Amino acid sequence: MRTLVAALAIVAAACSTRAPSTIAPSYDVVITNAQIVDGSGGAPRKGSIAISGGKNIPLGEVSGTGARTIDAKGRTVSPGFIDMHSHSDMPLLTDGNGQSKIRQGVTTEVIGESGSVAPRKPRKPESGEAMSGRPGGGAAGPRVEWTDFNGYFAAIEKGGISPNLLSYVGTGTVRELVIGEDDKKATAKDISEMQKIVSSMMEQGIFGISSGLIYPPNAFATVEELGEVAKAAQGGLYASHVRYDGLKLREGIQEAIAIGERGGIPVHIFHVKVTGQKNFGRMKEVIELVEAARARGIRVTADQYPYVASSTSLTATIPPWAQDGGTAKLVERLKNKQERARIRKEMENTNPTWESRYQSAGTWQNVQLAAIGRTRGGTNDPVSPNRKYEGMRVAEAAKQAGKDPFDFVFDLLIEERGSVGCVYFIIDEADLALAMKQPWVAVGSDGSALAIDGPLRAGVPHPRNFGTFPRVLGRYVRELKVIPLEEAIRKMTSLPASILGLADRGTIKEGQWADLVIFDPATVADKATFEDPFQYPVGIDTVLVNGTVVLDEGKHTNARPGKVLKRPAGGVTATASNSRSTQF
């Protein structure tokens, strides 16, 4: 008996010194067998990712189980892509699933170029006013029933969205609200009023101001005006579609930098590019100007889309003076024989004083009709007979109509009241590739969240709406080897997050929101073409937004976990850095 008692005592002592048993933690999602490219620009590493409460928890060798386990099967897992330049303002109200963006791996959209959804004057509810995206962006949107961003964000949150969303306030919208559509110099009182509006919008979480300086009435704004308005956007950015990217491209870049410098805020250049065959090869000049500004402490960044064609309204071929006063005045001038002749003469001038998209194209054969009569608003608008020309080059459409190309363009603008979107083939791929190599250039589609069916399938829009991000990964990383995969991912994730001041997104690390993309670097590719843009990409299989699976092995789950993102309290820094770290 004594022997038995002694033995039991030894066992008890051994048990008392043994490590206490542990229970494996449980997570919402565990991703295993992943090749992790974390967004920092560093080399890939193998491992697993655990997600709980919408955020990444441990990385590497994860012990524990998840309510959902996703076997990445050796595919690449990266942070969700941040689209630095999007026109999904209204399409996401039409369909919150954001199909064409989610399927590209985009988990955050940045909206609000020049003409933003707010602020707006109050409208009578019975007016049924509708607002759509920029020309070329598809069908007209739903009713506008808000006056500020709080109202717009409430409408977004009511319907729910798959990607996250944040916005600038457009200086074009603010100018029109205060001054109207006329070519008038802003008075001190006007500028003060615009500053008050911008300050009010900034209080609603906006990330800064944005301009589109080829679009009236924004085109009528001066450096002095914009610089003063920028002072009201402290803690945010000055983002700009510059006034010139053709013959006077140097002036365009210098103006953007001067506005940000005067306002004391960082500068971001939308879709940095050089346009027009006679200007091919001049991207190096743009780089020199930006690098010089950064060297003297001004934070200047940019984004780009990977295509040799741009897209905007057909009115971008018309001199700004002819658009003074708005669309109605433009139509009147086009109907007037003398003014019509003057407009044509200025369009044919090979050394224009303004940024002429016709001169950039050089010929009407380089201008493709994308969307006709689809952006005037009002879902009950009659279908335009001119839509038969969508997808055709202007030269071809004019021939079919039996008209001189200029007369065809003028008549089309009259009949459609300026609502004609186009694609312009005006960019050199060598310039595009050179810009892509710059560490301060992010990726932005300049496109909308569309779909291959339903109300968001309309016209023949630019393929960037469907293919921007996979095109970078497929053509420019895998095929042409312009930049390595890790750098491309950085340009889509941590770089834009740093530009915007989003400290909790853009990389895969503990505590970051779990915006994630699973894709195959060997097969990822865009399928959308200029002739047939309504095609989703391949090779991007699974997308998570805030820890929720939105794209599941190629199928949209209809989940809408996207959040409206508000500007961080600390804002963004105006100090430049030329390192490839996330401090941009």
Side-chain angles (χ1 to χ4, degrees):
M1 178 63 71
R2 281 196 295 270
T3 302
L4 177 60
V5 171
L8 290 172
I10 292 171
V11 171
C15 289
S16 67
T17 59
R18 187 177 301 158
S21 61
T22 58
I23 300 174
S26 180
Y27 306 106
D28 297 331
V29 180
V30 174
I31 301 174
T32 62
N33 300 319
Q35 185 81 355
I36 301 172
V37 178
D38 66 10
S40 68
R45 65 184 190 275
K46 294 181 180 179
S48 300
I49 302 170
I51 301 166
S52 185
K55 293 189 175 183
N56 300 314
I57 307 297
L59 306 177
E61 294 303 321
V62 176
S63 61
T65 60
R68 166 80 188 273
T69 298
I70 299 173
D71 185 352
K73 301 176 183 177
R75 293 170 294 181
T76 295
V77 180
S78 77
F81 305 149
I82 300 173
D83 190 341
M84 282 295 289
H85 186 189
S86 172
H87 289 279
S88 295
D89 318 49
M90 300 305 288
L92 283 173
L93 284 176
T94 299
D95 180 3
N97 282 349
Q99 289 274 9
S100 73
K101 293 299 187 69
I102 288 293
R103 291 175 181 275
Q104 292 185 60
V106 172
T107 57
T108 299
E109 297 237 63
V110 182
I111 61 172
E113 180 210 343
S114 182
S116 55
V117 292
R120 297 178 63 82
K121 292 180 180 179
R123 302 288 185 180
K124 296 179 180 179
E126 63 270 17
S127 69
E129 179 194 6
M131 176 180 175
S132 65
R134 212 168 80 184
R143 288 185 180 184
V144 174
E145 297 177 339
W146 58 82
T147 58
D148 60 9
F149 278 100
N150 284 340
Y152 169 73
F153 290 150
I156 282 287
E157 290 171 337
K158 181 179 180 180
I161 50 174
S162 293
N164 302 307
L165 187 70
L166 61 94
S167 185
Y168 300 111
V169 59
T171 56
T173 296
V174 174
R175 190 179 213 274
E176 184 174 350
L177 201 62
V178 174
I179 300 175
E181 297 183 89
D182 297 338
D183 183 1
K184 293 170 57 178
K185 183 178 180 179
T187 65
K189 182 180 179 181
D190 293 333
I191 290 173
S192 177
E193 184 62 29
M194 287 189 277
Q195 288 176 327
K196 290 177 183 177
I197 293 172
V198 169
S199 293
S200 175
M201 296 302 101
M202 292 294 288
E203 290 173 1
Q204 296 179 23
I206 301 310
F207 281 71
I209 61 173
S210 70
S211 64
L213 299 182
I214 71 169
Y215 304 114
N218 219 183
F220 306 137
T222 64
V223 171
E224 293 74 22
E225 173 188 325
L226 292 167
E228 290 302 304
V229 172
K231 291 179 179 179
Q234 295 302 310
L237 302 169
Y238 169 66
S240 181
H241 176 146
V242 296
R243 199 182 303 271
Y244 309 111
D245 52 35
L247 287 172
K248 301 172 68 175
L249 67 92
R250 294 185 66 88
E251 290 95 316
I253 300 298
Q254 289 168 334
E255 180 183 47
I257 294 170
I259 291 166
E261 193 168 14
R262 182 173 184 136
I265 60 177
V267 175
H268 183 76
I269 299 169
F270 287 136
H271 48 53
V272 64
K273 59 185 180 294
V274 174
T275 62
Q277 188 170 352
K278 64 181 70 175
N279 300 306
F280 287 178
R282 295 183 64 192
M283 179 57 73
K284 59 182 180 293
E285 297 178 38
V286 174
I287 294 167
E288 289 169 0
L289 289 169
V290 172
E291 293 286 4
R294 290 171 63 83
R296 65 177 191 268
I298 303 169
R299 203 192 78 168
V300 185
T301 56
D303 61 61
Q304 69 172 160
Y305 46 75
Y307 294 92
V308 296
S310 68
S311 182
T312 191
S313 173
L314 184 57
T315 56
T317 64
I318 304 294
W321 67 263
Q323 302 180 63
D324 180 10
T327 301
K329 293 290 183 65
L330 170 62
V331 169
E332 287 179 16
R333 293 179 182 115
L334 289 173
K335 289 180 177 180
N336 181 285
K337 185 176 180 180
Q338 287 74 30
E339 293 202 323
R340 183 167 171 142
R342 178 189 170 191
I343 291 169
R344 175 169 181 164
K345 183 178 179 180
E346 292 194 20
M347 290 171 67
E348 292 180 310
N349 182 356
T350 57
N351 189 27
T353 58
W354 49 287
E355 190 68 39
S356 168
R357 277 291 173 257
Y358 172 69
Q359 283 300 320
S360 294
T363 168
W364 288 117
Q365 186 59 30
N366 286 336
V367 183
Q368 180 174 307
L369 296 164
I372 298 175
R374 296 180 181 272
T375 59
R376 290 174 291 176
T379 55
N380 295 320
D381 283 351
V383 175
S384 170
N386 292 317
R387 289 186 185 175
K388 64 185 177 184
Y389 300 123
E390 290 177 335
M392 297 173 65
R393 303 297 177 100
V394 168
E396 177 188 1
K399 183 177 180 180
Q400 187 176 112
K403 295 182 179 181
D404 168 86
F406 283 92
D407 286 331
F408 173 81
V409 165
F410 297 155
D411 291 344
L412 187 63
L413 288 173
I414 292 170
E415 292 167 18
E416 303 301 333
R417 299 194 61 77
S419 182
V420 182
C422 293
V423 172
Y424 297 85
F425 294 86
I426 55 177
I427 301 168
D428 179 50
E429 190 167 41
D431 281 329
L432 188 162
L434 181 58
M436 192 175 290
K437 293 178 181 179
Q438 308 312 308
W440 37 267
V441 177
V443 179
S445 72
D446 195 13
S448 302
L450 305 182
I452 62 172
D453 51 25
L456 293 178
R457 179 177 180 131
V460 186
H462 197 296
R464 65 194 182 192
N465 296 283
F466 289 83
T468 294
F469 291 82
R471 184 172 177 81
V472 171
L473 297 172
R475 179 168 177 78
Y476 293 96
V477 171
R478 185 179 64 244
E479 296 175 6
L480 299 183
K481 296 179 172 51
V482 173
I483 53 175
L485 177 65
E486 300 81 37
E487 176 66 358
I489 296 300
R490 186 188 71 85
K491 286 173 170 289
M492 300 173 179
T493 58
S494 68
L495 173 57
S498 181
I499 292 170
L500 294 163
L502 299 174
D504 54 359
R505 297 180 193 271
T507 57
I508 300 178
K509 63 181 180 181
E510 191 166 342
Q512 292 264 301
W513 286 100
D515 296 340
L516 301 169
V517 181
I518 302 177
F519 67 95
D520 182 357
T523 62
V524 62
D526 62 310
K527 303 297 287 183
T529 65
F530 290 103
E531 295 75 26
D532 184 10
F534 288 98
Q535 300 184 74
Y536 294 131
V538 295
I540 295 176
D541 308 296
T542 303
V543 176
L544 290 82
V545 178
N546 299 317
T548 298
V549 178
V550 174
L551 189 69
D552 193 353
E553 291 296 330
K555 183 179 180 180
H556 201 297
T557 65
N558 293 317
R560 296 185 177 184
K563 300 176 180 291
V564 171
L565 306 183
K566 301 294 183 71
R567 181 174 51 88
V572 296
T573 176
T575 304
S577 168
N578 281 308
S579 73
R580 286 181 181 265
S581 72
T582 57
Q583 300 304 311
F584 277 83

